[in-house]
Amino acid sequence: MIDHIPGFNFAVSENQELVRGMVKDFAEKNIRAKLMEWDENQYFPVDVFKKLGALGLMGVLVPEEYGGSGFGYQEYVDVIVEIAKVCGSIGLSLAAHNSLCTGHILAFANEEQKLRWLPKLATAEWIGAWGLTEANTGSDALRMMTTAILDGDHYVINGAKNWITHGKSGDVAVVMVRTGDKGSAKGISALVVERGTPGFSAGKKENKLGMRASETTEMIFDNCRVPAANLLGNVGDGFKQAMKVLDGGRISIAALALGIAKGAYEAALAYAQERHQFGQAISNFQAISFKLADMATEIEAAELLIRQAADMKNRGLKMTKESAMAKYFASEVSVRVATDAVQIFGGYGYTKDFPVEKFYRDSKLCTIGEGTSEIQKIVIAREILNA
C-alpha cells in the first residue's frame, strides 16, 4: 500500500536543521515560561504571533514575493512540531493561521487578492481565521445555514460559524457560505471578510478542556456586506476548495499531534530516569520501560506517515488518503502517549506543576479538530475502496 516511500529522501536538509534550531530556541525563550499562565487564563498571546511573523513563521509556505518564507511542507512540519513540543495551544494557532486562512488564499486567490492579503498574513500584521463549521453542521458541512446573497457588487452574509480559531482576534477570515442549494457541493462559496466590516462580530468564546491559549469563538454575520471582489475562485467552488485546504490542514494537525506526543514522551523519559523507587530508577522496571518502548515506536511510525504525506504534498501529488492516515494515526498516538506519560509520572502527572498534565489535555483536540478520527476513517475507506 505504501507506494511513495521508496522515492522519499529521509535525510534532514540543512534548511530543516536551521529551522528546527530557530524554532526550538524561540519556544524556549518566548513560550516556556508563560504557557501555564496563558492556559489558566485562556489568554491568546497575540504578541507571540507577531514575533513569529517577524521570523517568517506565520507564512511558512508563502512565497517570498508575498512576504513569506517560501519553505515546503517538511519545514512546515518541523515548525509545528517544535512549537507543539512546548505548547500545543501556540502550535494549534500557528497551524490554523498557516494552513487554513493563509493556505486557502495562497491556493485559490487571484493575483490581486494575494497581493492584498498574503503580505499582511505572512508577517502577522494580520492574524487569520477560517470559517466552515456551524453549530448544527460540523462534518456535515454541505447543510450549512450561513448564506450569502448577491446584492449589486456586494454579498450580504447572514449566519454564524462555530469553533473558529481566532474568531475574535483574527483580522481577516476566509468564510464558507451557502450561495446555492442546501446539500449541494456546488452550493458553497468562499468569501474573505475583513475585521471591521459592519455586521461582522465575534460571539461566545469557548471554555475548553485543553488548547486554552488558542482562541476559539463564534463568528456572527448580521447583514454583513462584503465586496463581491472578495470571492475566492468562482461561485460554487467553496466546498471543493475547503476539502483541498483540509487535505493540507490534516498534515499540520498531524504535526501538532506529533509535537505534543514528543513533548510528553521526552518529559516521561527524563522523569523515568530521574525518579527512584525501591532503590533504582523506575526506568529499570519492565512495566515502565515497555511503556517507553511503545511510546517511542508509535511516535516513529506517526512521523513516517506525516513525512510521507508532506513529501507527496511538496511534489504536488494527490495525498487525500495519506494525509488522512497521518492525521488519524498521529492524533490517536498523541492521546495514548500523553496518557502513558501521566501514568509514568504517577500522582505528579496529575498536577499542573509538571508538563504532562497539559500535554494530556491538549492532545485530545487533535482527534477532533479538522475532522474527527471517525471522519478520517471514512476518508481513508473511501479512498481505498475507490482505488
Side-chain angles (χ1 to χ4, degrees), residues 116-117 148-157 173 175 177 190-194 197-200 221 223-231:
R116 179 178 173 185
W117 292 307
I149 297 173
L150 188 61
D151 179 26
D153 58 357
H154 282 71
Y155 280 97
V156 180
I157 307 176
V175 185
V177 293
L191 286 168
V192 177
V193 187
E194 297 181 9
T197 303
F200 177 31
F221 303 92
N223 290 319
C224 178
R225 294 181 63 85
V226 176
N230 288 18
L231 178 73

mmCIF file of all heavy atoms in Angstrom, residues 116-117 148-157 173 175 177 190-194 197-200 221 223-231:
data_model
loop_
_atom_site.group_PDB
_atom_site.id
_atom_site.type_symbol
_atom_site.label_atom_id
_atom_site.label_comp_id
_atom_site.label_asym_id
_atom_site.label_seq_id
_atom_site.Cartn_x
_atom_site.Cartn_y
_atom_site.Cartn_z
ATOM 1 N N ARG A 116 -3.051 41.630 -1.882
ATOM 2 C CA ARG A 116 -3.795 42.391 -0.882
ATOM 3 C C ARG A 116 -3.676 41.787 0.510
ATOM 4 O O ARG A 116 -3.535 42.511 1.503
ATOM 5 C CB ARG A 116 -5.266 42.462 -1.302
ATOM 6 C CG ARG A 116 -6.166 43.210 -0.339
ATOM 7 C CD ARG A 116 -7.578 43.270 -0.881
ATOM 8 N NE ARG A 116 -8.522 43.841 0.076
ATOM 9 C CZ ARG A 116 -9.835 43.905 -0.128
ATOM 10 N NH1 ARG A 116 -10.365 43.447 -1.253
ATOM 11 N NH2 ARG A 116 -10.627 44.432 0.788
ATOM 12 N N TRP A 117 -3.743 40.448 0.603
ATOM 13 C CA TRP A 117 -3.842 39.814 1.915
ATOM 14 C C TRP A 117 -2.603 39.035 2.367
ATOM 15 O O TRP A 117 -2.299 39.025 3.558
ATOM 16 C CB TRP A 117 -5.061 38.879 1.953
ATOM 17 C CG TRP A 117 -6.365 39.597 1.884
ATOM 18 C CD1 TRP A 117 -6.791 40.628 2.687
ATOM 19 C CD2 TRP A 117 -7.426 39.370 0.948
ATOM 20 N NE1 TRP A 117 -8.046 41.038 2.327
ATOM 21 C CE2 TRP A 117 -8.482 40.285 1.264
ATOM 22 C CE3 TRP A 117 -7.622 38.464 -0.101
ATOM 23 C CZ2 TRP A 117 -9.673 40.324 0.552
ATOM 24 C CZ3 TRP A 117 -8.820 38.512 -0.816
ATOM 25 C CH2 TRP A 117 -9.820 39.427 -0.492
ATOM 26 N N ALA A 148 -25.011 33.737 1.739
ATOM 27 C CA ALA A 148 -24.509 34.970 1.136
ATOM 28 C C ALA A 148 -25.322 35.229 -0.123
ATOM 29 O O ALA A 148 -25.318 34.409 -1.050
ATOM 30 C CB ALA A 148 -23.028 34.851 0.808
ATOM 31 N N ILE A 149 -26.022 36.351 -0.148
ATOM 32 C CA ILE A 149 -26.887 36.692 -1.274
ATOM 33 C C ILE A 149 -26.290 37.894 -2.004
ATOM 34 O O ILE A 149 -25.970 38.918 -1.383
ATOM 35 C CB ILE A 149 -28.314 37.013 -0.785
ATOM 36 C CG1 ILE A 149 -28.921 35.763 -0.126
ATOM 37 C CG2 ILE A 149 -29.195 37.488 -1.948
ATOM 38 C CD1 ILE A 149 -30.256 36.013 0.537
ATOM 39 N N LEU A 150 -26.130 37.755 -3.313
ATOM 40 C CA LEU A 150 -25.540 38.829 -4.107
ATOM 41 C C LEU A 150 -26.523 39.998 -4.223
ATOM 42 O O LEU A 150 -27.682 39.824 -4.589
ATOM 43 C CB LEU A 150 -25.175 38.307 -5.497
ATOM 44 C CG LEU A 150 -24.372 39.269 -6.389
ATOM 45 C CD1 LEU A 150 -23.032 39.611 -5.757
ATOM 46 C CD2 LEU A 150 -24.174 38.659 -7.777
ATOM 47 N N ASP A 151 -26.027 41.184 -3.870
ATOM 48 C CA ASP A 151 -26.826 42.406 -3.946
ATOM 49 C C ASP A 151 -25.958 43.468 -4.609
ATOM 50 O O ASP A 151 -25.137 44.121 -3.957
ATOM 51 C CB ASP A 151 -27.262 42.846 -2.550
ATOM 52 C CG ASP A 151 -28.073 44.140 -2.556
ATOM 53 O OD1 ASP A 151 -28.703 44.425 -3.596
ATOM 54 O OD2 ASP A 151 -28.052 44.856 -1.546
ATOM 55 N N GLY A 152 -26.118 43.620 -5.921
ATOM 56 C CA GLY A 152 -25.260 44.543 -6.653
ATOM 57 C C GLY A 152 -23.845 44.010 -6.711
ATOM 58 O O GLY A 152 -23.602 42.887 -7.152
ATOM 59 N N ASP A 153 -22.892 44.812 -6.236
ATOM 60 C CA ASP A 153 -21.488 44.385 -6.245
ATOM 61 C C ASP A 153 -21.027 43.924 -4.862
ATOM 62 O O ASP A 153 -19.837 43.911 -4.567
ATOM 63 C CB ASP A 153 -20.583 45.506 -6.760
ATOM 64 C CG ASP A 153 -20.696 46.779 -5.932
ATOM 65 O OD1 ASP A 153 -21.518 46.808 -4.981
ATOM 66 O OD2 ASP A 153 -19.979 47.749 -6.234
ATOM 67 N N HIS A 154 -21.989 43.547 -4.008
ATOM 68 C CA HIS A 154 -21.671 43.022 -2.676
ATOM 69 C C HIS A 154 -22.457 41.741 -2.408
ATOM 70 O O HIS A 154 -23.535 41.524 -2.980
ATOM 71 C CB HIS A 154 -22.022 44.045 -1.583
ATOM 72 C CG HIS A 154 -21.025 45.151 -1.445
ATOM 73 N ND1 HIS A 154 -20.878 46.144 -2.392
ATOM 74 C CD2 HIS A 154 -20.116 45.424 -0.458
ATOM 75 C CE1 HIS A 154 -19.924 46.985 -1.997
ATOM 76 N NE2 HIS A 154 -19.449 46.569 -0.826
ATOM 77 N N TYR A 155 -21.894 40.907 -1.526
ATOM 78 C CA TYR A 155 -22.634 39.780 -0.963
ATOM 79 C C TYR A 155 -23.103 40.178 0.429
ATOM 80 O O TYR A 155 -22.351 40.811 1.189
ATOM 81 C CB TYR A 155 -21.750 38.532 -0.859
ATOM 82 C CG TYR A 155 -21.594 37.790 -2.161
ATOM 83 C CD1 TYR A 155 -20.476 37.999 -2.967
ATOM 84 C CD2 TYR A 155 -22.563 36.874 -2.594
ATOM 85 C CE1 TYR A 155 -20.321 37.316 -4.169
ATOM 86 C CE2 TYR A 155 -22.408 36.192 -3.795
ATOM 87 C CZ TYR A 155 -21.292 36.409 -4.575
ATOM 88 O OH TYR A 155 -21.147 35.737 -5.765
ATOM 89 N N VAL A 156 -24.321 39.799 0.768
ATOM 90 C CA VAL A 156 -24.850 40.053 2.113
ATOM 91 C C VAL A 156 -24.872 38.723 2.852
ATOM 92 O O VAL A 156 -25.591 37.800 2.476
ATOM 93 C CB VAL A 156 -26.267 40.662 2.056
ATOM 94 C CG1 VAL A 156 -26.783 40.915 3.473
ATOM 95 C CG2 VAL A 156 -26.264 41.949 1.238
ATOM 96 N N ILE A 157 -24.061 38.646 3.925
ATOM 97 C CA ILE A 157 -23.896 37.397 4.669
ATOM 98 C C ILE A 157 -24.729 37.429 5.935
ATOM 99 O O ILE A 157 -24.707 38.414 6.691
ATOM 100 C CB ILE A 157 -22.418 37.157 5.039
ATOM 101 C CG1 ILE A 157 -21.525 37.242 3.796
ATOM 102 C CG2 ILE A 157 -22.252 35.793 5.709
ATOM 103 C CD1 ILE A 157 -20.042 37.120 4.113
ATOM 104 N N ALA A 173 -10.866 36.745 7.770
ATOM 105 C CA ALA A 173 -11.344 35.372 7.802
ATOM 106 C C ALA A 173 -11.773 34.920 6.414
ATOM 107 O O ALA A 173 -12.387 35.694 5.666
ATOM 108 C CB ALA A 173 -12.524 35.232 8.774
ATOM 109 N N VAL A 175 -14.374 32.601 4.816
ATOM 110 C CA VAL A 175 -15.632 32.056 5.315
ATOM 111 C C VAL A 175 -16.362 31.310 4.199
ATOM 112 O O VAL A 175 -16.566 31.851 3.103
ATOM 113 C CB VAL A 175 -16.543 33.180 5.864
ATOM 114 C CG1 VAL A 175 -17.800 32.600 6.491
ATOM 115 C CG2 VAL A 175 -15.780 34.038 6.882
ATOM 116 N N VAL A 177 -19.706 30.010 2.719
ATOM 117 C CA VAL A 177 -21.103 30.467 2.804
ATOM 118 C C VAL A 177 -21.931 29.733 1.756
ATOM 119 O O VAL A 177 -21.414 29.288 0.728
ATOM 120 C CB VAL A 177 -21.201 31.990 2.571
ATOM 121 C CG1 VAL A 177 -20.543 32.760 3.708
ATOM 122 C CG2 VAL A 177 -20.576 32.376 1.228
ATOM 123 N N ALA A 190 -16.587 30.643 -1.186
ATOM 124 C CA ALA A 190 -15.640 31.140 -0.181
ATOM 125 C C ALA A 190 -15.467 32.644 -0.328
ATOM 126 O O ALA A 190 -15.129 33.137 -1.410
ATOM 127 C CB ALA A 190 -14.297 30.440 -0.321
ATOM 128 N N LEU A 191 -15.704 33.368 0.757
ATOM 129 C CA LEU A 191 -15.547 34.821 0.779
ATOM 130 C C LEU A 191 -14.538 35.220 1.844
ATOM 131 O O LEU A 191 -14.498 34.623 2.931
ATOM 132 C CB LEU A 191 -16.884 35.502 1.078
ATOM 133 C CG LEU A 191 -17.940 35.526 -0.039
ATOM 134 C CD1 LEU A 191 -19.288 35.962 0.531
ATOM 135 C CD2 LEU A 191 -17.509 36.454 -1.167
ATOM 136 N N VAL A 192 -13.759 36.240 1.562
ATOM 137 C CA VAL A 192 -12.828 36.799 2.548
ATOM 138 C C VAL A 192 -13.498 37.995 3.211
ATOM 139 O O VAL A 192 -13.977 38.906 2.527
ATOM 140 C CB VAL A 192 -11.507 37.215 1.894
ATOM 141 C CG1 VAL A 192 -10.580 37.866 2.929
ATOM 142 C CG2 VAL A 192 -10.827 36.009 1.249
ATOM 143 N N VAL A 193 -13.543 37.977 4.544
ATOM 144 C CA VAL A 193 -14.189 39.047 5.309
ATOM 145 C C VAL A 193 -13.158 39.677 6.241
ATOM 146 O O VAL A 193 -12.527 38.970 7.040
ATOM 147 C CB VAL A 193 -15.385 38.513 6.133
ATOM 148 C CG1 VAL A 193 -16.131 39.682 6.777
ATOM 149 C CG2 VAL A 193 -16.323 37.692 5.266
ATOM 150 N N GLU A 194 -12.993 40.972 6.136
ATOM 151 C CA GLU A 194 -12.034 41.683 6.979
ATOM 152 C C GLU A 194 -12.701 42.160 8.263
ATOM 153 O O GLU A 194 -13.876 42.544 8.266
ATOM 154 C CB GLU A 194 -11.437 42.868 6.220
ATOM 155 C CG GLU A 194 -10.631 42.457 4.991
ATOM 156 C CD GLU A 194 -10.032 43.654 4.255
ATOM 157 O OE1 GLU A 194 -10.103 44.785 4.804
ATOM 158 O OE2 GLU A 194 -9.499 43.460 3.144
ATOM 159 N N THR A 197 -15.610 45.068 9.168
ATOM 160 C CA THR A 197 -16.722 45.126 8.225
ATOM 161 C C THR A 197 -18.026 45.167 9.016
ATOM 162 O O THR A 197 -18.249 44.307 9.886
ATOM 163 C CB THR A 197 -16.718 43.894 7.302
ATOM 164 O OG1 THR A 197 -15.463 43.814 6.619
ATOM 165 C CG2 THR A 197 -17.845 43.970 6.291
ATOM 166 N N PRO A 198 -18.896 46.135 8.780
ATOM 167 C CA PRO A 198 -20.161 46.204 9.536
ATOM 168 C C PRO A 198 -20.945 44.896 9.425
ATOM 169 O O PRO A 198 -21.050 44.308 8.348
ATOM 170 C CB PRO A 198 -20.908 47.358 8.854
ATOM 171 C CG PRO A 198 -19.821 48.226 8.299
ATOM 172 C CD PRO A 198 -18.751 47.280 7.850
ATOM 173 N N GLY A 199 -21.471 44.452 10.573
ATOM 174 C CA GLY A 199 -22.237 43.214 10.603
ATOM 175 C C GLY A 199 -21.413 41.980 10.904
ATOM 176 O O GLY A 199 -21.959 40.874 11.033
ATOM 177 N N PHE A 200 -20.098 42.136 11.031
ATOM 178 C CA PHE A 200 -19.201 41.018 11.340
ATOM 179 C C PHE A 200 -18.708 41.185 12.774
ATOM 180 O O PHE A 200 -18.055 42.169 13.101
ATOM 181 C CB PHE A 200 -18.025 41.015 10.361
ATOM 182 C CG PHE A 200 -16.976 39.955 10.620
ATOM 183 C CD1 PHE A 200 -17.291 38.729 11.183
ATOM 184 C CD2 PHE A 200 -15.650 40.197 10.265
ATOM 185 C CE1 PHE A 200 -16.312 37.764 11.406
ATOM 186 C CE2 PHE A 200 -14.668 39.249 10.475
ATOM 187 C CZ PHE A 200 -15.009 38.027 11.050
ATOM 188 N N PHE A 221 -22.523 36.885 11.614
ATOM 189 C CA PHE A 221 -22.725 37.757 10.450
ATOM 190 C C PHE A 221 -24.185 38.200 10.415
ATOM 191 O O PHE A 221 -25.096 37.383 10.321
ATOM 192 C CB PHE A 221 -22.375 37.009 9.161
ATOM 193 C CG PHE A 221 -20.965 36.479 9.149
ATOM 194 C CD1 PHE A 221 -20.697 35.194 9.598
ATOM 195 C CD2 PHE A 221 -19.920 37.270 8.715
ATOM 196 C CE1 PHE A 221 -19.401 34.698 9.608
ATOM 197 C CE2 PHE A 221 -18.610 36.790 8.716
ATOM 198 C CZ PHE A 221 -18.354 35.505 9.172
ATOM 199 N N ASN A 223 -26.378 40.714 8.297
ATOM 200 C CA ASN A 223 -26.434 41.593 7.129
ATOM 201 C C ASN A 223 -25.069 42.207 6.832
ATOM 202 O O ASN A 223 -24.935 43.415 6.592
ATOM 203 C CB ASN A 223 -27.483 42.698 7.329
ATOM 204 C CG ASN A 223 -28.898 42.151 7.297
ATOM 205 O OD1 ASN A 223 -29.220 41.288 6.475
ATOM 206 N ND2 ASN A 223 -29.748 42.637 8.189
ATOM 207 N N CYS A 224 -24.079 41.343 6.879
ATOM 208 C CA CYS A 224 -22.684 41.762 6.656
ATOM 209 C C CYS A 224 -22.429 41.890 5.147
ATOM 210 O O CYS A 224 -22.502 40.896 4.409
ATOM 211 C CB CYS A 224 -21.742 40.740 7.280
ATOM 212 S SG CYS A 224 -19.987 41.081 7.028
ATOM 213 N N ARG A 225 -22.114 43.096 4.698
ATOM 214 C CA ARG A 225 -21.914 43.354 3.269
ATOM 215 C C ARG A 225 -20.425 43.250 2.924
ATOM 216 O O ARG A 225 -19.606 43.992 3.456
ATOM 217 C CB ARG A 225 -22.442 44.730 2.889
ATOM 218 C CG ARG A 225 -23.962 44.858 3.032
ATOM 219 C CD ARG A 225 -24.452 46.239 2.612
ATOM 220 N NE ARG A 225 -24.199 46.505 1.188
ATOM 221 C CZ ARG A 225 -25.016 46.129 0.196
ATOM 222 N NH1 ARG A 225 -26.134 45.461 0.480
ATOM 223 N NH2 ARG A 225 -24.716 46.406 -1.054
ATOM 224 N N VAL A 226 -20.128 42.299 2.040
ATOM 225 C CA VAL A 226 -18.740 42.025 1.640
ATOM 226 C C VAL A 226 -18.628 42.227 0.128
ATOM 227 O O VAL A 226 -19.477 41.728 -0.632
ATOM 228 C CB VAL A 226 -18.351 40.578 2.003
ATOM 229 C CG1 VAL A 226 -16.943 40.253 1.512
ATOM 230 C CG2 VAL A 226 -18.443 40.378 3.504
ATOM 231 N N PRO A 227 -17.618 42.941 -0.331
ATOM 232 C CA PRO A 227 -17.465 43.152 -1.770
ATOM 233 C C PRO A 227 -17.412 41.833 -2.538
ATOM 234 O O PRO A 227 -16.764 40.875 -2.095
ATOM 235 C CB PRO A 227 -16.141 43.909 -1.889
ATOM 236 C CG PRO A 227 -15.973 44.579 -0.562
ATOM 237 C CD PRO A 227 -16.565 43.637 0.440
ATOM 238 N N ALA A 228 -18.078 41.791 -3.668
ATOM 239 C CA ALA A 228 -18.041 40.582 -4.499
ATOM 240 C C ALA A 228 -16.618 40.272 -4.944
ATOM 241 O O ALA A 228 -16.289 39.119 -5.249
ATOM 242 C CB ALA A 228 -18.957 40.770 -5.715
ATOM 243 N N ALA A 229 -15.770 41.298 -4.956
ATOM 244 C CA ALA A 229 -14.358 41.110 -5.317
ATOM 245 C C ALA A 229 -13.608 40.249 -4.299
ATOM 246 O O ALA A 229 -12.490 39.802 -4.559
ATOM 247 C CB ALA A 229 -13.674 42.469 -5.457
ATOM 248 N N ASN A 230 -14.228 39.984 -3.142
ATOM 249 C CA ASN A 230 -13.610 39.156 -2.108
ATOM 250 C C ASN A 230 -13.910 37.669 -2.295
ATOM 251 O O ASN A 230 -13.506 36.844 -1.478
ATOM 252 C CB ASN A 230 -14.084 39.578 -0.716
ATOM 253 C CG ASN A 230 -13.497 40.914 -0.292
ATOM 254 O OD1 ASN A 230 -13.023 41.686 -1.128
ATOM 255 N ND2 ASN A 230 -13.520 41.200 1.003
ATOM 256 N N LEU A 231 -14.622 37.322 -3.345
ATOM 257 C CA LEU A 231 -14.908 35.915 -3.644
ATOM 258 C C LEU A 231 -13.630 35.233 -4.106
ATOM 259 O O LEU A 231 -12.913 35.745 -4.974
ATOM 260 C CB LEU A 231 -15.972 35.821 -4.736
ATOM 261 C CG LEU A 231 -16.373 34.423 -5.211
ATOM 262 C CD1 LEU A 231 -17.228 33.728 -4.156
ATOM 263 C CD2 LEU A 231 -17.122 34.508 -6.542
#
